[in-house]
Amino acid sequence: MKKYKIVLLSGDGIGPEISEVSKKVLKKLSKNHNFDIEIIEKLFGGIAYEKYGTPAPDETLDQCKKCDAVLLACVGDIKYDSLARELRPESGLLKLRSALNLFANIRPVKIRKSLLDASSLKKEIVEHVDLIVVRELIGGIYFGKPRGQITNTKIQKAFNTMVYDSAEIERITEIAIKIANQRNKKICSVDKSNVLEVSQLWRDTVLKITSKDKNISLSNMYVDNAAMQLVRDPGQFDVILTSNLFGDILSDLAAMLTGSIGMLPSASLNNSGPGVFEPVHGSAPDIAGKNIANPLAMLLSASMMLKIGLSEEEAAENLETAIDKVLSKGFRTADLADGSSEVLSCSEIGNKIIDEI
Ligand code: NAD
């Protein structure tokens, strides 16, 4: 029997509620698909700050480095916003990404048939959306140096540096190629090479690497046009490859095509070592503790973990089918309620999914 060790970081806000559902679902899947999964729970985010004075304690990071995969719920709360930046829960996320060298963020955006009407765009615009944003995660302007503020002058100044080297661009391009080869073999690389030197290097390097794989069809798009095209005709995209800043913005835009932030999973990966699988949404403090959160984004993240992190494809498929069955029977959490569906709590929809597995 295959044995896996995963670290579960429940974090803050709705995190513990959606993690509880995920734990039960993973246990049922492991039983049905004949593998053993040890779930090690560690403190991370605001709750870790409360106990250890840091959002990403060394003990948590060490466990994450040693396991097969990390499943993370969400972190954050308004009460931590006045802390020094490095003590805030969100800084813990950056520390975790750096500690595991997670340079590739993968965000699939797929419209589930039963939720077509939940999108703010017209049904005919979104019905064929099935795309993946591959975003570089630990380089570019968020990490570039020099950065800072100059305050001892008459007029204040602040500056950041958008920088990439070719090795950073090559490795994220290779991830995009790998993913495209499992799909329609189409990559659209998004940059701003008409204005930025760093984007010219991006474009040249992506071309150099993708041209080595004759199966891949590459197109390039400026980021302003890509934002427009994602709203005008999102069905044209398959794999979108882009840098940290542009990926941050475009992936949120693409995410909203599906209707609810409570439906979107993501994976952050390295070439070797454990990945971190987490929903796109935050800790939703406004609904925390009410048992009304949507656990599906976390379950879909668990499905990505099973598929990519643990190579348990059949279990992942089983989970996705169970989710689709529950939705097509008209069960919804409050964020997806449309008047004709039956609204269930977080734990109730979790139990329905468990019944379908
Ligand atoms: P949010 O994603 O937490 O919430 C935005 C809105 O979506 C809220 O109305 C919330 O109730 C709703 N929502 C989010 N997830 C939901 C779910 N699963 N089911 C039902 N409704 C859901 O974003 P925010 O309010 O801007 O941020 C709240 C906190 O989360 C902040 O401290 C922020 O820094 C943090 N945050 C953390 C992450 C992360 O852990 N990866 C990501 C984004 C924001």
Side-chain angles (χ1 to χ4, degrees):
M1 186 190 276
K2 283 198 177 149
K3 284 187 174 187
Y4 306 108
K5 216 181 247 193
I6 70 154
V7 172
L8 173 65
L9 306 174
S10 298
D12 308 316
I14 58 171
E17 298 158 54
I18 58 176
S19 295
E20 206 47 43
V21 172
S22 304
K23 267 194 284 183
K24 287 188 192 159
V25 163
L26 284 170
K27 286 289 175 200
K28 174 93 186 265
L29 285 166
S30 68
K31 213 165 139 201
N32 285 15
H33 293 271
N34 208 27
F35 60 87
D36 184 67
I37 190 157
E38 184 187 348
I39 300 175
I40 303 162
E41 297 194 55
K42 289 282 158 197
L43 296 185
F44 186 68
I47 189 162
Y49 169 78
E50 301 284 351
K51 184 154 183 206
Y52 299 111
T54 165
D58 287 345
E59 194 205 330
T60 299
L61 295 179
D62 287 347
Q63 273 293 349
C64 290
K65 285 180 196 161
K66 283 192 284 195
C67 69
D68 295 307
V70 178
L71 185 61
L72 164 65
C74 44
V75 297
D77 192 284
I78 196 159
K79 69 179 170 185
Y80 303 116
D81 287 356
S82 54
L83 291 175
R85 190 159 293 282
E86 68 277 11
L87 299 179
R88 293 187 204 168
E90 297 78 2
S91 299
L93 289 173
L94 297 183
K95 212 169 157 192
L96 178 66
R97 287 170 188 164
S98 288
L100 298 184
N101 199 25
L102 302 172
F103 66 87
N105 182 242
I106 317 291
R107 205 183 268 197
V109 179
K110 192 175 171 187
I111 307 290
R112 309 200 96 80
K113 278 200 178 68
S114 44
L115 295 180
L116 263 178
D117 291 321
S119 175
S120 49
L121 296 185
K122 288 184 203 131
K123 193 172 168 176
E124 54 276 22
I125 304 259
V126 293
E127 65 189 340
H128 300 300
V129 171
D130 180 0
L131 62 89
I132 293 195
V133 179
V134 178
R135 166 188 167 197
E136 200 291 326
L137 198 60
I138 54 172
I141 197 164
Y142 291 174
F143 292 87
K145 286 188 180 137
R147 62 187 294 161
Q149 282 188 315
I150 300 171
T151 50
N152 57 357
T153 49
K154 206 167 166 195
I155 297 176
Q156 290 196 8
K157 269 191 189 176
F159 55 96
N160 292 86
T161 303
M162 187 186 264
V163 56
Y164 273 112
D165 64 39
S166 53
E168 288 172 307
I169 305 168
E170 282 170 17
R171 66 181 182 179
I172 190 72
T173 304
E174 275 153 11
I175 295 275
I177 292 172
K178 208 165 148 190
I179 292 171
N181 269 318
Q182 292 156 3
R183 296 168 54 92
N184 293 331
K185 303 177 172 44
K186 269 171 58 183
I187 296 177
C188 177
S189 172
V190 172
D191 62 45
K192 190 70 184 165
S193 58
N194 49 344
V195 180
L196 301 172
E197 284 79 1
V198 63
S199 275
Q200 191 59 54
L201 178 67
W202 181 277
R203 190 173 279 220
D204 297 344
T205 310
V206 170
L207 176 64
K208 188 180 102 191
I209 301 300
T210 50
S211 58
K212 289 184 191 161
D213 188 331
K214 299 290 169 232
N215 295 319
I216 296 293
S217 135
L218 172 71
S219 60
N220 295 288
M221 207 178 265
Y222 298 135
V223 63
D224 38 353
N225 186 26
M228 183 181 76
Q229 295 297 336
L230 270 169
V231 179
R232 193 187 73 85
D233 177 19
Q236 70 183 284
F237 293 104
D238 191 42
V239 174
I240 295 176
L241 165 63
T242 194
S243 59
N244 205 346
L245 172 66
F246 299 156
D248 194 2
I249 299 165
L250 292 182
S251 60
D252 264 29
L253 196 163
M256 270 325 288
L257 301 172
T258 65
S260 171
I261 194 156
M263 291 300 299
L264 287 155
S266 80
S268 299
L269 307 172
N270 184 349
N271 269 332
S272 60
V276 173
F277 300 84
E278 57 176 314
V280 165
H281 61 72
S283 58
D286 51 334
I287 58 166
K290 296 182 179 164
N291 193 22
I292 58 171
N294 183 347
L296 296 185
M298 186 160 183
L299 290 181
L300 291 167
S301 306
S303 166
M304 287 185 88
M305 178 186 79
L306 289 165
K307 203 183 310 179
I308 302 170
L310 310 181
S311 299
E312 288 289 342
E313 276 97 0
E314 279 181 21
E317 197 103 323
N318 188 346
L319 174 53
E320 302 233 359
T321 308
I323 290 172
D324 281 333
K325 277 189 188 159
V326 168
L327 290 174
S328 64
K329 285 181 180 173
F331 298 117
R332 304 275 189 276
T333 39
D335 55 310
L336 295 171
D338 58 7
S340 61
S341 49
E342 185 179 341
V343 178
L344 299 181
S345 67
C346 176
S347 51
E348 283 168 342
I349 203 154
N351 290 338
K352 291 276 178 215
I353 290 162
I354 289 166
D355 290 344
E356 295 290 350
I357 287 171

